[in-house]
Amino acid sequence: MIPSADRNKNWLKKLQSCSEKLTEAPELIVEGKLSRMVGLTLEAEGCRAAIGSLCQVETKAGKRIGAEVVGFSGSRIFLMPTGNTQGLEPGCRVIPLGKNSLANVGFGLLGRVLDGAGKPLDDKGPLKTDAKTSLNGKPINPLSRKPIRDSLDVGVRAINSIFAIGRGQRIGLFAGTGVGKSVLLGMMTKFTSADVVVVGLIGERGREVNEFVLKILGEQGMQRAVVVASPADDSPLMRVHGAMLATSIAEYFRDQGMDVLLLMDSLTRYAQAHREIALAIDEPPATKGYPPSVFAKLPHLVERAGNADVGGGSITAFYTVLAEGDDNNDPIADAARGVLDGHIVLSRSLAESGHFPAIDIEASISRVMPDIADQKHLLMARELRRIYSLYQQNKDLISVGAYQPGSDPKIDEAIGKMPAIAEFLQQDMEEAVDISLSLNELEVLLGMNFKAKL
């Protein structure tokens, strides 16, 4: 006979074991039905799924369409499809998959072109990846980030000399349409000294994807590059995923201790895709049609770039920002300036005059330049900006002949040096100019009078 006290202990152990198994058991997946579709938003009832989780919507013909949960209201959940919605109708099965979107990452991605879902677009066979990672990334303690102390050679004379870029810096290219921002990105793709280049073509014309891969990167450039393309005809959710996927791939290579160059064209299209999703689920617009959640998403994406923990790699990121109507104070451009480490503004008037790259050096700035450039470099850049700005302030007087030579020695100096400065700031798209050559040419341009001031 087992004593009653021992029997009670055995029963308690069995009950505890059963309770633990019930607790560890996965939650049952409850299917629902499609009840409504407004625009690109699907509404489903009867199922339970968390924000960001994946679902499949099955049509009457048996076709399954991927979707992601983007919101809920009461017992209804809002889904955004990732593919073509042809064939959907009321009553279609909605099947929660119980998982979130993941990115396949690894060195097998080098030389490949992917879509926003991470599937190959280049007909080079299946992808060979080593691991999976979250599309949302992992936040880095700001106190653990390695400071930006090393300069990065981007191969563009005007940038190397006047707006020194540091490894781990996040900088924006601000421009309207058709002023050469994509060509400038292509130059930096070819000429920048980085271990890996990750390019995100988000919401741009589909024609530009093939041109970027074949003409700008070329066969040699693709050997160290990964291209993620989600053109304008993709769903807004796929465009958002494309930007997040490019960042996740860059994070993987950074975590391997490598220096990564991340080029995203464009941050504006990413914000516009989020706006489409937010408005579709009835989030009220706040500023020029942009809901508040859009301005929360921008820093979440941008802050994933930069330096890793001490001893890790780096992500130097260039984000193009499309200034609608050439307005550099539109909501997205204004928000981007606040979260980036500097901005390079491209001028339409310079582009129309045949000046390339059309960099407006008065409106542009690199916030980390004082930390990475020596005193001589800073003084030379400041002197060039002074001369250029002085000429621009008196340009109208000079053009109409109202200025009399000899009235102001400083203006006379600016007039004399302006042709050489304009030539210095221009560069052929096939020409690479490293940092040392850029600084030597700048020193020659400023002349002996500047050397005497040092």
Side-chain angles (χ1 to χ4, degrees), residues 118 231 362 431:
E362 288 184 291
E431 176 190 8

Side-chain angles (χ1 to χ4, degrees), residues 294-342:
V294 173
F295 301 101
K297 295 291 185 181
L298 288 177
H300 179 76
L301 180 72
V302 170
E303 282 296 322
R304 294 171 60 183
N307 286 337
D309 301 345
V310 176
S314 67
I315 299 176
T316 307
F318 284 85
Y319 300 94
T320 65
V321 180
L322 181 61
E324 297 183 5
D326 291 337
D327 179 13
N328 287 318
N329 292 314
D330 77 73
I332 298 304
D334 196 43
R337 269 195 299 270
V339 298
L340 295 171
D341 302 322

Side-chain angles (χ1 to χ4, degrees), residues 35-43 79-80 279-282:
S35 61
R36 188 184 179 203
M37 179 175 180
V38 179
L40 291 176
T41 308
L42 310 177
E43 292 186 15
L79 306 164
M80 186 66 65
L279 293 177
I281 58 175
D282 295 330

